[in-house]
Every structure is written in structure tokens, then in C-alpha cells.
Amino acid sequence: MTADRNGPYGALDITDYIGADASLLLVDDDGPFVRRLARAMETRGFDVEVAESVSEGIEKAKVRPPKYAVVDLRLGDGNGLDVIEAIRESRTDTRVIMLTGYGNIATAVTAVKLGAVDYLSKPADADEVFNALTQRPGEKADIPENPMSADRVRWEHIQRVYEMCERNVSETARRLNMHRRTLQRILAKRAPK
């Protein structure tokens, strides 16, 4: 597929961006979102497969390991990090993007350790996903214009301790000197801006 000069890729062939193997696995339990993203990625030249659960994502990763993957962190039947592990067991050169509405530094670090190359917070549009998937090694992301708020820094710290405690709420509450129910309420909320 070659885009015309007025297309999103200029005069370059789409394979200059995504290579000859354009297989993409999208794993997200938000059906309308994942279908919309799948259509957008297909128009950009990807050969897209969709999974709406951890088990379906793992199965598709084993049957046909993708060159690219976009995986949501929290899915109805578990953790998207399990899908990344399954992808890495089958194929080590996959470019994986972690996508989540519950963005925090600790899970971003865990995702990168498991092999994700980028971490995007929802709502991410198709252009952001495409740019993250096709970013060349050594390219740097733009520095955010606004620093994190105090509420966000606190939330990030709580998430980091939660991940260090292997997602054990009781142990995390003990280490933070916080009531367990208070911690559960904080963990259930989306990250502050």
C-alpha cells in the first residue's frame, strides 16, 4: 500500500513506517473503542486482530504472534501484563504499547521491564498509537508542558508502593500507614491530572 503525496505519510511507502510484517494485535475490553482503533489502524496499513480479554489475547498471541501490539492494562478477566508476557514468549521483536486509563509510573516501569516500548494513557487517539508504534529507536518523546500536580504525585507514590507489594492491598496499606478501605477507594479511582 502506498499513500499519495497528500496522505498522512507523504510520498513514503507505508512499509517505511511499519515494515513488511504489519500484524497488529489490539487487546482491550472496551468494544467500541477497540473496534474504532482497529479500523483506524487498518487504514494506516496494519493487518489487525482484536481481542477483548486476557485469555483471548494470550490465545491469539500464541497462534499468530504479532509484530505490533497495543494492550490495555486492566481487562475484565485480568491484567494486560499477562498478554505482554505471552507475546514475549512467542516473539521477542514485537513492539508493544501499553494502553490504560489508570496510568501510573509503577505499572509503566513493569510494562517496560516485560517488553513494552511505550505507555499511553487513555484516551489515546489513533495518531498517538500509530506514532508510538512507529517511533524509531532513539527518538525522544516531547517533554510535558505542565508538571504533575501534588495529588498526582501522591497517587503515583501509592501506585508504586502497591506494585512493590505485588498488588497486595493489605500490605500496601500497612506500608503507607493508611486504612485499607481508604486505599481501596484511592486505587479504584482514575489518576488525578
Side-chain angles (χ1 to χ4, degrees), residues 25-29 49-64 71-84 86-87:
L25 176 61
L26 300 177
V27 184
D28 197 309
D29 57 358
E49 280 201 60
V50 173
E52 293 189 23
S53 66
V54 170
S55 57
E56 187 181 1
I58 290 171
E59 180 183 323
K60 288 189 176 188
K62 287 180 179 177
V63 171
R64 184 177 170 223
V71 181
D72 190 12
L73 177 64
R74 292 194 183 173
L75 298 159
D77 65 337
N79 190 323
L81 295 173
D82 296 334
V83 178
I84 294 176
I87 291 169

